[in-house]
Amino acid sequence: MSQKRLLVLPHIKVHNANALSSPFTIGFPAMTAWLGFTHALQRKLNASGYEELELTSVAVISHHMDLQTYKGSDDFVSSIVGTGNPLDKDGTRSAFIEEARCHLDVTLVIEYDEHDSEIFEDEVEAFIQLTEQHLHTMKLAGGDILDFNQPQLHFVDEYETAQIRKFTRSLMPGYAIIERRELMQESMQNGNDALAAMLEYLQVNHQCEQDDDDNITWTSYRKTAGWIVPIATGFHGISELSEAKNQRDPDTPHRFAEAIVTLGEFKMPYQIKSLDDMLWHYHTDLENNLYLCQQNNKI
Amino acid sequence: METGKTELRRNLDKLIKLRLEMPPKKEVKNGKSETDYFKALTHFLKKYPTGYLPNDKKECDSSLLMVSTNFTSVVSTYKYENTFKFYCEIEHPVLDEIAKDLSLSSTEMSEIMSLAKSFEVEKLEAYYLFKDNTKHDNLNTFSSEGLVEVIDKIAADSKHGTIVTHPAKMSQPSCKYPRISVDDFESANDGFIRSGNAASYFDLHINANKLKVFKFLSLSVNRLQVIEHIKRGNVKVISEAFKVEIEKAEQWVEDFQHCITSQVNKSHPLIKQVYFPVATGYHQLSLLTPAGLVFNLKNKIEWINKRSPKAYLGRQAQINNVKVPYSYSSVMNLTVTKHGGDHPKNISGLNNKFQSYYLLLSSPPSFKHSEIRVPKKSVFGETISPWYCREIFYAIHKIFQTPYERSPIPNKNMRKGVSNHIQKYIDFIINRVWSIRLLLSESDISISASLPKYQQVWLAPEHQEEREKTDEWLDKVVNEIAISFIKGYQKVLGKQAEKLGDSELAHIKKVVGENKEALR
């Protein structure tokens, strides 16, 4: 299908979103949070009369992020600005786990599939209103949705460069998160373990040169161009599926898992040539115990 | 405590005073003499332990010097990477400072280093553990009876703990469950940080006052941790290392079994549990922290930022503006976090050992820059200063200078390299332009009438419609960006800048032109 059907939720302002998306990273919420939200919205819309509607993938465009960390003027590292809530039942301060938060302004571009029901022909306005109503009741990445612009429906032909350009420009100013797992794989192929592979791309290298007049110039560079960041993109099951005491839902298969992290890149949407380059969907590889969010265009 | 001296120097002074009736002296200028630290160090370091643990005071003395650090303050935890032994092992440049502190010549330092290298590293942690808080001069735990008593207690205490790989208390300090240990993950080149794709360490869930169990199980004997010897039932190794009968070692191995096998696959209401859609519905995942990986990451970051010889020398060179023939690296924008507040021992063995860890920043670039000003006469030079892009110009200059081609923009690859750098410059400009547009739309500031008309259209929010519908202003923008790139290059590189001709300008214009729509 060359025509992409897109539900755009522009400029969602999220307050106190979870910025601790894995034990290795701080900042932009995990991809699982964005896809989790999209999936929750789908369930709500399915329950409101759009049973056939499927929200298949999502692109996340960050317009602004305000991370709640503190860095003193002489500090090399930041520390988390915690709130110490909630208190224990007796009013004393509970055992304290630092909780990182951030405020966000994001646009979500959600690809949907109507499964031939053509439900939107005559009821676009009603659908938009319904979506708005649901958004008001939802949380996003653990944070509160304070505000958003009116949702829009777009139809973009994947083979029409002009249409894609026009659409991606409408997402400016912003940065879309895309997966750069291939960088990690390349580094691991060269013998690095996963941690070293990640650091290889995140570290800044400093080198100096001396000119003919003995002036020394220091320059800093990273291994690769682009705004490369670590990003949590799913989970790795570490135990077999089985029942466990205290699991929230006894009717759903349960297992213990850990967050997985790989590299991503924030790119301005005008650099995106195909919408599938920024759209993410769920994918499971149960043979390898992987629960993933990955790009529509596989790397 | 004396300040200003390294721990190594303080310990050496103490030993000279305690052990040597006639401290070695060497003559210096004007007939004066001072302590000959080379002779003293050689004297003490030659008596390294022959067994796993020191047999007598002389062997303790060499161990003490080996675990001494280069710090002037007291360090209460053992970390091999801070020890004199480690510096000698990797011939760390910090040894020059130590040599200076002890007035050692480079030949003398080399001799000391080779003595240190012949010292078995795994004996140090054992020495540090069993000396515990005992003052060096009152050591008695290395005697057989004392040692057995200590290990008996450790073995008995181990029944209160469980070996884990994903400690629940790193999710929330009140979580007592689950207690799971999984270490048979397969490595795969899937591009993910996950268990199996990097070395991990074991952890121990146990009461804070019984953490000696973790330290004991972490000791290395014959290049294998004690926990592994116990798992494999290597009683002979244990009996030889700690100088006890086989029966005693067998009893210890049995005592420790409980902490290895007492896993509990129970989740906890305080553990984050998420649903993940799968083909058949959902799976419910209780999320845990792979502590071994988290602290391995810390180790790696500290090596890059602090401990590696390159980081040490590189930073010094940059501060003193001295040329060095290699590059050094740093991992920036780190956030430090810790579990257990002032009592990391309440969380787990590893958490107590490492105390804190780092989080890597995952943050998008911003369009809000504090230094952004709305231009008055021209956006080029005022808002888009070439100095912000000097790294780009230095990099492109390197390509221009490549000697095997006469033309500054030569073969295919070179051209691609140049195009990439021009693209980075355009990306920078697009970011700044949007910053100005945002600033104008979010404040009372209005666009200056002194700006050229095409720049007013380019920047001001009120011209958005014109931007969409017309092209004349955009052609000028493309042209001006190409010119500003060349001017910026010449400004940053000064006299060294290569002369660029029409063909180069045409190439730059072409690359900028490819971004025409993005600049709209």
Side-chain angles (χ1 to χ4, degrees):
Chain A
M1 190 173 65
S2 67
Q3 187 91 331
K4 277 220 183 283
R5 289 162 182 263
L6 304 168
L7 165 63
V8 180
L9 309 178
H11 287 279
I12 309 175
K13 309 271 195 309
V14 191
H15 186 71
N16 278 344
N18 176 23
L20 213 54
S21 42
S22 82
F24 307 97
T25 55
I26 186 168
F28 206 63
M31 279 319 299
T32 45
W34 306 110
L35 271 165
F37 169 82
T38 307
H39 187 72
L41 180 62
Q42 178 191 309
R43 285 173 62 102
K44 281 179 184 278
L45 291 169
N46 288 158
S48 314
Y50 296 93
E51 293 91 355
E52 294 294 305
L53 181 70
E54 198 183 347
L55 305 183
T56 53
S57 59
V58 64
V60 188
I61 291 91
S62 163
H63 303 291
H64 185 63
M65 186 180 90
D66 185 8
L67 182 61
Q68 303 295 293
T69 55
Y70 173 77
K71 190 173 179 182
S73 54
D74 294 328
D75 296 345
F76 183 72
V77 293
S78 304
S79 45
I80 295 168
V81 180
T83 57
N85 292 316
L87 298 180
D88 277 348
K89 282 176 197 164
D90 57 0
T92 55
R93 192 170 286 262
S94 56
F96 191 68
I97 273 278
E98 295 194 73
E99 201 179 81
R101 298 159 295 118
C102 63
H103 309 323
L104 295 157
D105 176 357
V106 289
T107 290
L108 298 185
V109 178
I110 300 170
E111 184 187 10
Y112 64 87
D113 191 342
E114 300 164 78
H115 293 290
D116 300 326
S117 57
E118 294 181 2
I119 46 179
F120 297 134
E121 284 283 304
D122 304 318
E123 43 183 287
V124 170
E125 210 171 302
F127 176 77
I128 296 290
Q129 270 184 15
L130 182 66
T131 307
E132 281 186 311
Q133 281 169 19
H134 285 315
L135 287 181
H136 282 298
T137 65
M138 294 175 76
K139 293 202 99 173
L140 178 47
D144 299 318
I145 296 177
L146 297 184
D147 191 19
F148 50 84
N149 292 356
Q150 192 183 50
Q152 304 154 5
L153 294 180
H154 288 259
F155 305 97
V156 180
D157 193 318
E158 286 178 88
Y159 300 113
E160 287 290 331
T161 313
Q163 277 191 31
I164 293 175
R165 268 192 191 156
K166 194 175 173 196
F167 178 72
T168 52
R169 205 169 61 244
S170 74
L171 301 171
M172 288 293 290
Y175 283 90
I177 182 75
I178 63 161
E179 190 175 20
R180 296 301 307 273
R181 180 149 63 103
E182 85 281 4
L183 296 177
M184 291 274 289
Q185 286 172 311
E186 203 179 296
S187 179
M188 288 168 78
Q189 188 72 42
N190 294 333
N192 282 323
D193 67 30
L195 297 172
M198 172 148 293
L199 292 176
E200 190 178 15
Y201 286 96
L202 297 182
Q203 71 190 20
V204 180
N205 307 305
H206 313 277
Q207 71 173 28
C208 65
E209 280 186 13
Q210 197 164 17
D211 64 18
D212 299 338
D213 301 328
D214 287 346
N215 296 318
I216 293 169
T217 316
W218 283 86
T219 48
S220 302
Y221 62 95
R222 281 192 180 194
K223 186 176 167 67
T224 193
W227 195 277
I228 305 291
V229 293
I231 180 105
T233 60
F235 307 110
H236 174 218
I238 57 169
S239 67
E240 295 300 319
L241 280 169
S242 63
E243 263 185 42
K245 201 176 170 194
N246 292 328
Q247 74 182 66
R248 285 213 172 127
D249 173 3
D251 300 325
T252 305
H254 170 274
R255 74 197 305 188
F256 294 101
E258 60 186 12
I260 57 169
V261 175
T262 189
L263 286 172
E265 181 180 353
F266 279 106
K267 263 187 162 178
M268 284 193 255
Y270 73 81
Q271 294 168 320
I272 306 286
K273 304 294 177 221
S274 159
L275 293 182
D276 280 329
D277 287 345
M278 63 176 183
L279 287 163
W280 296 70
H281 65 270
Y282 280 128
H283 173 75
T284 45
D285 173 4
L286 293 182
E287 202 177 310
N288 292 306
N289 306 316
L290 294 174
Y291 298 81
L292 304 173
C293 302
Q294 67 181 28
Q295 300 258 218
N296 286 4
N297 269 351
K298 280 187 190 166
I299 47 171
Chain B
M1 189 190 75
E2 287 179 84
T3 54
K5 289 180 184 176
T6 60
E7 192 186 36
L8 178 71
R9 167 94 178 260
R10 286 199 305 274
N11 285 339
L12 189 54
D13 284 339
K14 189 166 72 184
L15 290 180
I16 291 171
K17 203 172 164 187
L18 282 172
R19 307 276 190 255
L20 304 177
E21 283 178 16
M22 291 283 287
K25 296 277 179 190
K26 63 180 177 186
E27 273 197 26
V28 287
K29 285 176 190 172
N30 307 327
K32 287 182 182 173
S33 65
E34 63 176 26
T35 309
D36 188 336
Y37 283 114
F38 172 65
K39 278 189 184 162
L41 263 175
T42 319
H43 171 82
F44 290 113
L45 293 184
K46 272 185 176 164
K47 306 283 182 189
Y48 53 82
T50 45
Y52 184 62
L53 285 163
N55 279 318
D56 54 29
K57 280 194 165 46
K58 282 178 182 170
E59 292 185 357
C60 287
D61 291 345
S62 60
S63 302
L64 175 73
L65 292 175
M66 284 293 166
V67 295
S68 300
T69 68
N70 182 41
F71 304 133
T72 48
S73 54
V74 173
V75 180
S76 56
T77 52
Y78 173 82
K79 198 176 257 182
Y80 173 53
E81 291 82 0
N82 290 338
T83 61
F84 177 60
K85 158 78 181 163
F86 177 74
Y87 294 137
C88 291
E89 201 62 54
I90 64 161
E91 302 184 6
H92 197 286
V94 78
L95 290 175
D96 292 343
E97 281 180 26
I98 292 176
K100 205 173 160 191
D101 188 30
L102 300 176
S103 307
L104 303 179
S105 68
S106 55
T107 330
E108 289 170 338
M109 196 67 223
S110 302
E111 215 168 302
I112 297 294
M113 275 156 62
S114 63
L115 274 176
K117 281 180 183 176
S118 58
F119 196 104
E120 275 284 344
V121 58
E122 54 191 26
K123 294 175 180 177
L124 289 180
E125 194 163 5
Y127 158 80
Y128 202 91
L129 171 62
F130 291 110
K131 93 176 178 63
D132 200 13
N133 296 322
T134 319
K135 274 191 179 173
H136 183 74
D137 206 35
N138 301 331
L139 285 175
N140 56 17
T141 49
F142 300 117
S143 67
S144 221
E145 306 80 50
L147 194 70
V148 170
E149 209 175 290
V150 172
I151 301 178
D152 273 344
K153 181 161 185 335
I154 291 173
D157 285 349
S158 76
K159 291 175 182 168
H160 298 275
T162 309
I163 298 292
V164 291
T165 48
H166 294 70
K169 284 190 173 190
M170 283 187 80
S171 299
Q172 225 284 353
S174 308
C175 284
K176 291 181 179 165
Y177 304 104
R179 295 181 197 172
I180 60 170
S181 174
V182 198
D183 53 9
D184 57 349
F185 298 105
E186 281 183 22
S187 163
N189 187 11
D190 51 19
F192 295 126
I193 291 183
R194 61 162 179 83
S195 292
N197 277 349
S200 188
Y201 317 123
F202 81 94
D203 203 351
L204 185 71
H205 177 111
I206 200 164
N207 286 347
N209 58 3
K210 295 180 171 57
L211 275 176
K212 251 191 172 175
V213 179
F214 175 76
K215 291 176 184 170
F216 178 75
L217 291 174
S218 304
L219 293 178
S220 280
V221 184
N222 298 346
R223 283 161 288 286
L224 207 58
Q225 285 188 309
V226 168
I227 183 170
E228 280 304 316
H229 286 301
I230 289 172
K231 279 183 184 172
R232 297 176 190 194
N234 295 343
V235 282
K236 198 170 171 226
V237 177
I238 294 170
S239 79
E240 280 172 6
F242 301 104
K243 293 178 278 184
V244 292
E245 298 294 321
I246 288 281
E247 291 73 26
K248 184 49 118 179
E250 279 173 348
Q251 185 205 319
W252 286 342
V253 168
E254 202 185 317
D255 288 349
F256 279 109
Q257 290 307 315
H258 182 266
C259 76
I260 294 170
T261 56
S262 56
Q263 323 280 289
V264 186
N265 280 339
K266 208 159 61 164
S267 193
H268 193 281
L270 288 170
I271 297 276
K272 189 174 178 180
Q273 299 182 25
V274 298
Y275 285 96
F276 200 99
V278 293
T280 51
Y282 295 95
H283 282 178
Q284 200 179 172
L285 310 174
S286 284
L287 302 181
L288 299 169
T289 302
L293 285 185
V294 164
F295 293 115
N296 187 357
L297 179 67
K298 181 182 186 187
N299 255 350
K300 280 188 156 61
I301 291 172
E302 294 205 328
W303 172 256
I304 294 169
N305 280 356
K306 296 179 188 169
R307 296 193 208 288
S308 73
K310 275 189 181 178
Y312 178 85
L313 290 174
R315 278 174 201 282
Q316 277 191 342
Q318 193 162 11
I319 291 167
N320 301 326
N321 206 26
V322 179
K323 183 172 167 29
V324 282
Y326 50 79
S327 64
Y328 76 96
S329 307
S330 49
V331 184
M332 300 161 114
N333 300 318
L334 296 168
T335 297
V336 69
T337 187
K338 57 184 188 176
H339 291 289
D342 291 337
H343 301 287
K345 59 182 183 292
N346 288 341
I347 304 297
S348 75
L350 268 185
N351 192 62
N352 180 59
K353 182 175 176 182
F354 287 91
Q355 304 274 312
S356 65
Y357 61 94
Y358 296 120
L359 298 167
L360 301 164
L361 182 65
S362 173
S363 171
S366 177
F367 289 97
K368 294 186 179 174
H369 306 285
S370 55
E371 78 279 7
I372 280 286
R373 301 280 177 271
V374 176
K376 288 186 177 143
K377 291 186 175 167
S378 172
V379 70
F380 298 104
E382 283 184 55
T383 313
I384 303 168
S385 161
W387 296 105
Y388 289 128
C389 303
R390 60 178 177 277
E391 306 284 339
I392 295 173
F393 293 124
Y394 285 135
I396 212 164
H397 180 63
K398 246 186 186 171
I399 301 178
F400 286 166
Q401 277 191 316
T402 309
Y404 58 86
E405 287 286 348
R406 285 187 187 169
S407 165
I409 304 179
N411 64 34
K412 227 180 177 182
N413 287 344
M414 302 281 258
R415 195 175 286 267
K416 197 179 169 198
V418 169
S419 301
N420 286 345
H421 290 303
I422 299 168
Q423 186 62 50
K424 278 190 222 166
Y425 181 73
I426 297 164
D427 291 348
F428 168 78
I429 289 178
I430 290 173
N431 179 292
R432 295 292 149 144
V433 165
W434 277 105
S435 301
I436 298 169
R437 286 176 185 169
L438 273 179
L439 187 62
L440 286 168
S441 63
E442 289 174 0
S443 67
D444 299 335
I445 306 168
S446 52
I447 197 90
S448 163
S450 320
L451 274 182
K453 179 70 182 153
Y454 79 93
Q455 289 194 18
Q456 290 183 33
V457 177
W458 192 22
L459 301 175
E462 60 267 29
H463 288 293
Q464 191 182 345
E465 211 178 319
E466 193 179 345
R467 281 203 294 271
E468 294 291 336
K469 289 179 179 164
T470 63
D471 274 356
E472 202 185 327
W473 65 274
L474 190 53
D475 294 334
K476 280 187 182 161
V477 165
V478 169
N479 198 40
E480 286 302 315
I481 289 176
I483 293 169
S484 81
F485 185 83
I486 292 183
K487 280 186 180 169
Y489 166 68
Q490 287 164 343
K491 197 168 186 179
V492 170
L493 270 297
K495 284 186 287 180
Q496 298 174 58
E498 298 282 334
K499 280 187 182 157
L500 306 181
D502 289 346
S503 66
E504 290 79 51
L505 183 62
H507 179 71
I508 294 164
K509 267 187 188 168
K510 183 175 160 276
V511 179
V512 182
E514 285 163 7
N515 288 270
K516 199 170 165 180
E517 287 307 309
L519 288 160
R520 199 180 280 277

